[in-house]
Every structure is written in C-alpha cells, then in structure tokens.
Amino acid sequence: MSTQANSQQAAILQSPNKVKLIDAVAGAGKTTTLAMEARQACADGLSGRAILALCFSRGARLRFHEKLKEEVSEDSATFVMTVEDFARQLIEDLAEKGRITRPVIHQDVEGIRGELVAAADRVWQRYQERGIRSDFNFGLDENNQHLDDIARRLAQLKAALATGAFAPKDNASHDDDALDDDAADYDESGDGDLAGQPDPVADIIREYEAARHPYPEEFRWQGPNDAVTDLVYLLQRQPALAQDLRRWSLYLVDEWHDVNAAEFELLARLRRGARLVVAGDKDQTINRDRGADPVFSGQRFADTYRADGKRFPLGMSYRFGQDAAVLADGLTHNGCEGRPDRDTLVRRVAYDPSQPGDCARLVADTIRTALAKGRPKPSNRDFAVVLRDVDQSIEIETALMEAKIPYKCDGFETFLLLPEILLLRGILHYVGNDYSALRGHAETCVQMVLALSRYFYLTRDPKHWNLQWGERQSVLAYAQQEVRRTPEVLKSFFDGALLRETEFDSPQARQSKNLIRPVIARMASLAGSATAYELLTMLRKEVDLHDATSRAFVSRDRVASARRSIDAFLRFASSHGQVPAAEFLATLTHMENDVALVRRSKNANSIGTRRSLVRVTTIQAAKGREWPYVLVPFLAQDEFVRTRDAANEVRHLYVGLTRVMKELVLFEPDEGHADRRLAYLNS
C-alpha cells in the first residue's frame, strides 16, 4: 500500500529541480520518499527500467527494494543496486565491448587473500635483498587479523581515491622491482598522512596494486572495494568512455551520508544531465572506515550541483516522539520533529564515575526493572545498550552476566575474545603453567596464538621458521595446528618462539624480548602466591602495553580502542581477579561458556533464543537500526569522547540517541561530577 505524502514530501515531489538533496532527520522516511519519487516518475510515464536506485550496503539495498514494492508495485522494474555492484556492472559492459580487459572478480577479502600475501612476500624479499630491517610481521598468510588490517587500510585508501598514486601511467607498466625510497608513503595509522619514510603497509599496498593493475586498461582482478575506484580512474583518463555506458533518466540514492569521495566522483561523472535525487542525514555521517564525510552533503554537493540543485528538509521522525526529537534537535539544530502520536520517554540516570562498575550496574538494574514492571511487558530483545566503542563492553557485559541477563554482542566480538584481552589471558596461562581452563575451547586457543603473534616479534626468516619444527612448517602454523589438540602447546609457543632470542632477530625484536623475558620470569616465580590482578599489575608496570599495542594494529582508531580495552580489563581484574591466576582464568572461561558461545549454539538463531537476548552494540553498528528501549551509558567527557572533533562526537551521540522508539535512558555523571558531563547534551 502506497504512503500518503506529508507536506514536506509533497514539496519534494512537486519540485522541478533536476537535482535534489533530501536532508532528513533520523527516522523521517528517507527511503519511502525516494520510492515516492519513483512512483511519481512512473505515473508521469517514465519506465521503471529507466530508474536506477542506488545505496551503499546490502542491507540498505534490501530495504530500498521493499519500499519500491510498497510504493510503486510488487513487480517494479526499477534496478536496485549498491554503488559498488553498479560500478562492477559498468566495468563488465566496457569489457564486453572490448574497451578494457575483463578482470577476475573477488567478492570478499578472502578472495584477495592470496594476492595480498604474495605482495607482502615480495616486499619482504625486497627488504631482505636491500638490507632493510623491519619488525613488521609480513606473515599475512598465517595471521588473519593482520591481513584484515591491511585489507581495511586498502579499502580506506580506495574510498579516498588515494591509490591513484599507485596507478600506471599512459603507455607504461609497473616495474615489478620498483620500490622507490623517495616515493610518497602512506602512514599506517590510517589517517592518510604522508609518512616521508619507508612504510611496509604502503609498500605492500603499492605492490598489490602493481600486480592487480599493471597497465592503464588492464585490471587483472578486482576485490570487494575496487570497482568504483577503477571506473573513476578510467573515466578520468578517457572521459569519452562514458558514451559507451548505459544512461538512466532518474538516479535515486539512499543513505547519502555514507557516500565517500570515490562514489561521489563516479556519480557526478555518470549523471550526464539526468535527474538525481539523493536522501541522507548529514548528522549520521560517522562511517569513517568507508570514507564518509559530511562535506559530500554540504559544500562539495553545493559546488558540484550549483546550477540545478536544491536542498529539501525532511524533518519529522516517524520513529520517536517529541521529547526525543527535542533532544536530537538540541544536538544538531536540524529541525527534528517528533511523531505526534508517539510518546517517547527520555530519562537520565546519574552514576558515580569514581566508582568502577557503577554505570554498568545501573544499566543492568534498569533493564531488570523494566522487564519486571513494563506495560505491556517487554522482552529482552526490545533492549539495546548502545556504546561509544567496544572497550566499554567489558563493564557492561560483566554487569549483565552478574545480573543473569542474557545478551548478544551485535556488530563486534565479546571482550573475552578481543586480541588485546587474549594476550593478557595467554600470558596468565603461561606464567601460571595452567591450561586446564582452555580445554575444549580449541577456537579460543587458536585466536590466542594469533593474538600473541600480534604482540610478540616473530621473524620472517625461513631459517628461523623451520628451527625445531616440522619440515616446511612455520612456528605460527604449527602452533595453530597443535593448539587445537592440546592447549599446553601454548607453553612451547612461548618458550620456542615468543621469548627465545635468535640470531635472526632484528635489534628491536631482541630489545623487546630482553625486556619482557625477565618480567614474565618474575611473574612465573610469583604465580603460586600472587593474585591474577597482582600479576597483571606487574606486567603493566614493567612493560609498556600501550606502546606494544601501537605496533600490533595498523589502524590508529583500533590502537586507541585496544589501549582502552586493556585499561578496562585491568579495572575488571581489580575486582574479579583478586584470586589465583588459574581461578581467574577459569572464571573467564565460564563467562565465555555462558555468553560468547551462544552464537555457535544450534539454537542461537531460533526465535526463542533471539527473543531472550539483550543487544549490546556500538553506535557505528547501530546505524540504521531501532529498538523500543535504548540505553546509552558512559556519557562523560573522559568516557564518551574519543576524538578532538567536537562535531564528530555530536554526530555519534545523535546516532546513538535516535535509535529509540519508546524509552531512552541516558547515563551521565552525578551531581558530584557534573563537570564531567557532556556539555552539548546539557546545553
């Protein structure tokens, strides 16, 4: 059944402008309005096949398709695609016409694993030949976590069109042996700044791109994030290629706040005078991983479409009532209005930030009270605890476990299986020489080996790889294989690889091992009498875990998150780890049994199980979702704020608050710590 347009939607539909930017608030019906545009275009005589509906994720594509069925017809002929799939189809069309070579298509990171590994191997060999010492772990074939970091960094560079510096020039190919010392290198922190010095991450990406795109018109393969960037490259070199591509009369683009530089450029080049209607909420531009930026909804859009573009507001949310709308508008000044027939309660709960765990305990109490007294009676699945980042889950998960409230981490891994926490767990197992808590948890053991290999130095030299291990089998591969059979292999992994100094170690690796070896030896000597917390405190005091974390991860954001997770885990240990290490580790495994493994249960996806689980999620993962009850904890300056960009912090808070339908609960510092409250939430 089609929807009756409200006054703002009617103004959009009636406008003669060829380019429209629908500037909507959360829950205002952006997708519905775009579907109305398609309905009106079809009513005016345009074929559905002349309309192209675009978005930026598979989930958004499904929602867009459903709205078109509701607003236009069940058999709507309008194409609905992600921008990446759209670009891939156009590249296929160019290959069909013989304008470029047809690339092999890989749909996910797993498909390009071999090429990234090969690129890392070539760079490592080149470093060896030139005598370049690096403690970067080039063994991507054996550590999925590190490979994922490289793949994520590659995707960020492509979204920003930054890999164009690696593309071949006219009538030239990449020199397979080129590794220019003075070439521009990208900082591995993830912010795209020039490093001005050799950078293994940039060199691997450059080597990968050289093999993938050796000639201007030849792409040997395409990974999951290559099509848009490749098509922009082709159209920049040969604008006439656009004439070989199919035209649409009307482009509809949903979730415009997720658009990145490459996608913006592609759509601007392909429009060619057609109508373009985009809908988004600029205040929801928080997806930094894919290169989203508010400028593409602001000045950049205005400059590009100045001649025939117009901005339209869509200010009433159908998701929540007036109280939540007032709060949202106070943050963003976007004119947000609440649904008149919906009452959304906004409550504030004060906690004492000087008392560890107080906020999380109040979150659990709030859920328990609402489950008991709510009318109509809610279920667990009606609740979402929305966090700023994953490190905050440690206190929340612990409080929910202690309150016996079943939950599910949505969009991230439980804290028990984060690499930085597995590092600490692994060290405690080793110094206590007790691995009993790991028996029956083969996958956890494997992940622990990978986490340890992130933090400890493992040389890439083949002579070392084969020392005292199976023929042509590396230390890391052997450890992963054998630890599945018995967790005691962790001891051999420590003794034979992580702590043992070899002639092949770089100076930095040797220095690191010489630092940590005596610390771990002292921890082991005290393990019989010291508590788990005392052992972890000794480790933190004598080893710079934050510095080690900066080497373990590629992304600066991930480094910061891991450091906070380590600090939070140590606070957790201060209250739960005042027992021998073996007992503390058994507690962690018991927690893992209770919660972390529910997703692997045969009944994990049954209707009954889903209904029994509170969602613990992050603001990033919650985008596009909604729940009747939303709880946002840790609203303190030193707990919520993660960047110096105040506007970015406000956008994150706005996204978190606007997931609510029925009741929003904000947890902020009490009167005694009022100076730590978020100013923009209390202005």
Side-chain angles (χ1 to χ4, degrees), residues 42 45 75 146 186 197 228 264 282 300 353 414 426 492 552 578-579 645 658 661:
C42 290
D75 56 351
H146 216 51
Y186 285 94
Q197 58 184 358
V228 172
F264 186 94
K282 65 181 184 302
R300 184 76 179 274
T414 174
S492 300
Q578 303 288 357
V579 293
D645 185 348
T658 55
M661 299 167 65

Side-chain angles (χ1 to χ4, degrees), residues 352-587:
D352 184 352
S354 67
Q355 297 297 316
D358 190 50
C359 182
R361 178 184 58 78
L362 289 169
V363 168
D365 289 347
T366 299
I367 294 174
R368 191 162 44 195
T369 299
L371 286 169
K373 299 181 178 179
R375 294 291 181 272
K377 186 175 178 61
S379 65
N380 283 336
R381 68 178 303 187
D382 292 329
F383 293 84
V385 182
V386 182
L387 309 174
R388 180 61 172 87
D389 210 344
V390 296
D391 58 275
Q392 295 177 334
S393 76
I394 295 178
E395 289 188 18
I396 295 297
E397 289 186 64
T398 303
L400 293 177
M401 289 179 197
E402 292 176 344
K404 301 189 183 307
I405 298 173
Y407 70 92
K408 171 183 172 58
C409 292
D410 198 331
F412 63 93
E413 191 68 89
T414 174
F415 81 91
L416 295 162
L417 298 179
L418 292 173
E420 56 271 26
I421 306 306
L422 287 172
L423 164 77
L424 301 178
R425 291 174 66 182
I427 291 175
L428 284 178
H429 279 293
Y430 177 75
V431 300
N433 196 27
D434 188 317
Y435 306 92
S436 56
L438 291 174
R439 293 196 182 105
H441 292 77
E443 189 57 37
T444 298
C445 291
V446 170
Q447 293 304 311
M448 191 172 289
V449 165
L450 292 173
L452 290 165
S453 72
R454 270 184 179 269
Y455 278 85
F456 286 82
Y457 287 98
L458 288 176
T459 178
R460 183 70 172 156
D461 195 295
K463 296 177 183 177
H464 182 207
W465 281 134
N466 295 330
L467 273 174
Q468 301 181 8
W469 304 93
E471 184 178 358
R472 293 204 308 267
Q473 191 174 33
S474 75
V475 172
L476 188 55
Y478 176 87
Q480 289 181 77
Q481 172 186 306
E482 294 300 313
V483 81
R484 290 181 181 277
R485 303 176 186 175
T486 172
E488 281 77 9
V489 167
L490 281 170
K491 176 175 172 53
S492 300
F493 188 50
F494 269 95
D495 291 338
L498 301 181
L499 299 177
R500 185 167 68 93
E501 187 177 340
T502 78
E503 61 182 294
F504 308 110
D505 287 339
S506 69
Q508 188 173 1
R510 189 171 293 112
Q511 179 182 13
S512 176
K513 290 180 179 181
N514 288 335
L515 170 66
I516 197 167
R517 193 186 303 112
V519 175
I520 287 184
R522 284 195 296 274
M523 291 173 67
S525 69
L526 296 172
S529 58
T531 66
Y533 176 64
E534 288 170 342
L535 294 173
L536 290 172
T537 301
M538 180 187 302
L539 179 66
R540 177 177 60 178
K541 181 179 179 181
E542 301 194 34
V543 176
D544 190 340
L545 294 174
H546 282 193
D547 181 63
T549 297
S550 69
R551 297 192 304 269
F553 298 95
V554 173
S555 165
R556 179 179 295 173
D557 288 344
R558 184 65 184 90
V559 168
S561 177
R563 289 173 172 175
R564 289 190 294 267
S565 290
I566 289 171
D567 294 342
F569 185 74
L570 289 168
R571 291 194 297 272
F572 166 81
S574 70
S575 57
H576 293 75
Q578 303 288 357
V579 293
E583 185 177 338
F584 179 61
L585 291 167
T587 298

Side-chain angles (χ1 to χ4, degrees), residues 153 156 186-193 288 554-557:
R153 181 73 185 108
Q156 291 171 339
Y186 285 94
D187 173 45
E188 61 184 76
S189 64
D191 59 6
D193 291 337
R288 290 183 59 189
V554 173
S555 165
R556 179 179 295 173
D557 288 344

Side-chain angles (χ1 to χ4, degrees), residues 12 18 90 115 135 154 214 235 241 253 328 349 356 364 436 464 489 535 610 621 641 660 668:
I12 294 168
K18 297 193 72 173
L90 294 184
E115 303 297 347
D135 290 304
L154 177 62
L235 293 173
L241 278 179
V253 188
V349 175
S436 56
H464 182 207
V489 167
L535 294 173
R610 289 200 306 269
V641 177
V660 69
E668 58 185 5

Side-chain angles (χ1 to χ4, degrees), residues 216-436:
E217 279 76 38
E218 181 181 355
F219 300 96
R220 290 178 179 167
W221 71 85
Q222 285 183 332
N225 302 293
D226 288 326
V228 172
T229 306
D230 289 348
L231 189 53
V232 169
Y233 168 83
L234 291 170
L235 293 173
Q236 286 175 336
R237 287 190 68 257
Q238 300 183 54
L241 278 179
Q243 304 307 315
D244 293 327
L245 301 175
R246 177 176 173 178
R247 289 174 176 265
W248 276 266
S249 299
L250 173 60
Y251 290 87
L252 303 171
V253 188
D254 199 10
E255 303 292 328
W256 185 252
H257 46 263
D258 282 336
V259 72
N260 60 39
E263 294 157 341
F264 186 94
E265 179 70 17
L266 178 64
L267 292 169
R269 287 180 174 275
L270 291 179
R271 181 194 156 222
R272 293 170 287 174
R275 292 173 57 202
L276 172 67
V277 184
V278 305
D281 180 356
K282 65 181 184 302
D283 295 311
Q284 293 191 55
T285 307
I286 62 171
N287 202 335
R288 290 183 59 189
D289 274 354
R290 73 178 321 278
D293 192 310
V295 71
F296 301 119
S297 297
Q299 194 59 47
R300 184 76 179 274
F301 189 93
D303 292 343
T304 302
Y305 300 108
R306 189 178 304 278
D308 47 8
K310 186 174 180 179
R311 184 183 303 268
F312 294 88
L314 197 60
M316 190 185 78
S317 176
Y318 290 88
R319 179 179 297 156
F320 44 76
Q322 190 58 29
D323 287 351
V326 169
L327 189 63
D329 182 56
L331 285 173
T332 62
H333 309 292
N334 60 2
C336 182
E337 299 177 16
R339 181 171 166 175
D341 60 345
R342 171 162 288 174
D343 291 327
T344 300
L345 177 64
V346 178
R347 292 200 296 123
R348 298 177 186 243
V349 175
Y351 70 95
D352 184 352
S354 67
Q355 297 297 316
D358 190 50
C359 182
R361 178 184 58 78
L362 289 169
V363 168
D365 289 347
T366 299
I367 294 174
R368 191 162 44 195
T369 299
L371 286 169
K373 299 181 178 179
R375 294 291 181 272
K377 186 175 178 61
S379 65
N380 283 336
R381 68 178 303 187
D382 292 329
F383 293 84
V385 182
V386 182
L387 309 174
R388 180 61 172 87
D389 210 344
V390 296
D391 58 275
Q392 295 177 334
S393 76
I394 295 178
E395 289 188 18
I396 295 297
E397 289 186 64
T398 303
L400 293 177
M401 289 179 197
E402 292 176 344
K404 301 189 183 307
I405 298 173
Y407 70 92
K408 171 183 172 58
C409 292
D410 198 331
F412 63 93
E413 191 68 89
T414 174
F415 81 91
L416 295 162
L417 298 179
L418 292 173
E420 56 271 26
I421 306 306
L422 287 172
L423 164 77
L424 301 178
R425 291 174 66 182
I427 291 175
L428 284 178
H429 279 293
Y430 177 75
V431 300
N433 196 27
D434 188 317
Y435 306 92
S436 56

